[in-house]
Amino acid sequence: MTDTQTGRRNPDALVRRAGKRADTRQDQHFLVDDRVLDRIPEYAVEADVDLSHVLEIGGGPGALTDRLLGHAEEVTVVERDPDFAAHLREEFAAERAADRLTVREGDALDVSLPEFTASISNLPYGASSEIAFRLLPRKRPLVLMFQREFAERMAAEPGTDDYGRLSVTAGHYADVDVVETVPKEAFDPQPRVTSALVRTTPREPAYTVPDDAFFMDFLKGVFTQRRKTMRNAVRNTAHISGLGDPDAVVEAADEDLMSARAGNLAPADFADLATLAYEVGEPEA
Ligand SMILES: C[S@@+](CC[C@H](N)C(=O)[O-])C[C@H]1O[C@@H](n2cnc3c(N)ncnc32)[C@H](O)[C@@H]1O
């Protein structure tokens, strides 16, 4: 199981030992490239991230979990597949690592997440955006594997085609760096797409918004009308943002911002606008 030269568990052997075929409908594409696996936690170490309690979403057979236990004091893994959750508990039970590892069987979109100091994960790509929107407001450093296009949208700058709700949300909470592109060959079974690792560093202080949930809904609304002026987008998407009086927002907001399109505004502009909208636009309670 353990490579005697590197002291690392062999990911292929872990997959075999899990005694289960990967189900790609559940986004089960496992990392089998030792060099990539070794580098992932290093991206956190080189940024001086506090690794006292690392959250891993989607542990699978445990090759990344093994690396995380090599760096973190405590690791919590959330895994939806009951067989892999049981496998992870068993795999590390015999080791001293067992008392540093908590396995939570469940869906990362609805299990309660512990207080963590960082999240390092090779995510299920089908749930990337929901998981990112769940993790970013926790304002903790993240090292996450995504589909490459998703990573590029997350890091996109205003005025580019890739810039959207995801870029604004990510840029609102954190500085975002795409630190590595990972080829399909690093996984088994191979995904159809190229992957990329993103590191986010929380902004301190973040731009403040009065209510995170309202902010997310406001962004969702105006970006569904990204080709319209903000004036029209704010008015037309009140059913999404929950604004009772969108006209009051348009009246009170800066003319230039209302004449711009969502794709050209910076994260700080959205924070200001959402704050104003929350104050004067009668959002749903
Ligand atoms: C891309 S694999 C990564 C596995 C392992 N960490 C690795 O790097 O090889 C994603 C894992 O997430 C699990 N998963 C899929 N959807 C999930 C969800 N909604 N919540 C929690 N785990 C999920 C899958 O069962 C799978 O084990």
Side-chain angles (χ1 to χ4, degrees):
M1 181 66 21
T2 305
D3 183 314
T4 44
Q5 281 183 338
T6 64
R8 288 272 162 247
R9 286 152 182 250
N10 178 318
D12 288 320
L14 277 173
V15 175
R16 281 197 302 278
R17 174 126 142 205
K20 197 172 138 72
R21 288 174 75 89
D23 179 354
T24 53
R25 288 165 311 174
Q26 289 213 64
D27 289 321
Q28 292 179 347
H29 299 278
F30 304 124
L31 267 171
V32 291
D33 185 322
D34 274 313
R35 290 159 305 175
V36 176
L37 280 158
D38 287 343
R39 276 199 296 272
I40 294 177
E42 291 297 341
Y43 287 115
V45 171
E46 73 188 26
D48 270 338
V49 168
D50 176 357
L51 294 176
S52 32
H53 187 174
V54 172
L55 171 69
E56 183 189 6
I57 307 277
L64 181 58
T65 316
D66 183 41
R67 274 33 178 215
L68 298 180
L69 284 164
H71 290 275
E73 284 167 35
E74 197 184 339
V75 175
T76 296
V77 182
V78 176
E79 172 56 61
R80 188 173 64 179
D81 185 319
D83 294 335
F84 281 124
H87 164 78
L88 286 165
R89 287 194 191 99
E90 258 168 49
E91 183 62 34
F92 295 96
E95 301 188 9
R96 286 198 358 242
D99 56 357
R100 298 191 290 118
L101 176 68
T102 305
V103 179
R104 241 174 232 190
E105 183 188 321
D107 190 324
L109 303 183
D110 47 47
V111 290
S112 70
L113 299 178
E115 279 302 318
F116 58 92
T117 60
S119 178
I120 303 179
S121 311
N122 172 22
L123 290 179
Y125 295 168
S128 290
S129 63
E130 290 96 329
I131 294 173
F133 287 131
R134 208 172 169 202
L135 294 181
L136 283 163
R138 304 287 287 257
K139 298 179 187 154
R140 295 282 182 260
L142 311 171
V143 177
L144 303 174
M145 182 88 78
F146 294 109
Q147 180 172 340
R148 182 172 61 184
E149 288 75 10
F150 185 93
E152 286 168 353
R153 283 197 283 126
M154 201 164 169
E157 297 290 336
T160 61
D161 285 348
D162 280 341
Y163 186 71
R165 179 164 77 107
L166 177 64
S167 337
V168 179
T169 312
H172 174 75
Y173 292 107
D175 291 322
V176 181
D177 293 303
V178 178
V179 290
E180 179 171 340
T181 301
V182 182
K184 302 168 190 177
E185 293 73 26
F187 300 83
D188 185 26
Q190 289 185 18
R192 292 210 191 98
V193 295
T194 303
S195 300
L197 268 170
V198 166
R199 178 174 59 202
T200 72
T201 310
R203 273 181 204 275
E204 283 304 344
Y207 309 116
T208 50
V209 287
D211 182 300
D212 280 327
F214 170 72
F215 181 57
M216 301 273 190
D217 289 344
F218 182 76
L219 292 178
K220 194 175 186 178
V222 294
F223 273 103
T224 60
Q225 303 229 331
R226 58 181 294 146
R227 304 204 187 288
K228 300 246 162 58
T229 60
M230 282 295 286
R231 188 176 296 108
N232 288 333
V234 168
R235 286 193 171 121
N236 297 345
T237 61
H239 60 293
I240 300 173
S241 61
L243 284 174
D245 190 357
D247 289 336
V249 181
V250 173
E251 304 276 294
D254 183 284
E255 253 317 287
D256 290 345
L257 290 186
M258 287 296 106
S259 302
R261 285 169 176 70
N264 291 317
L265 298 185
D269 296 326
F270 284 106
D272 289 346
L273 267 179
T275 303
L276 179 75
Y278 193 79
E279 282 164 5
V280 305
E282 298 177 12
E284 277 167 8

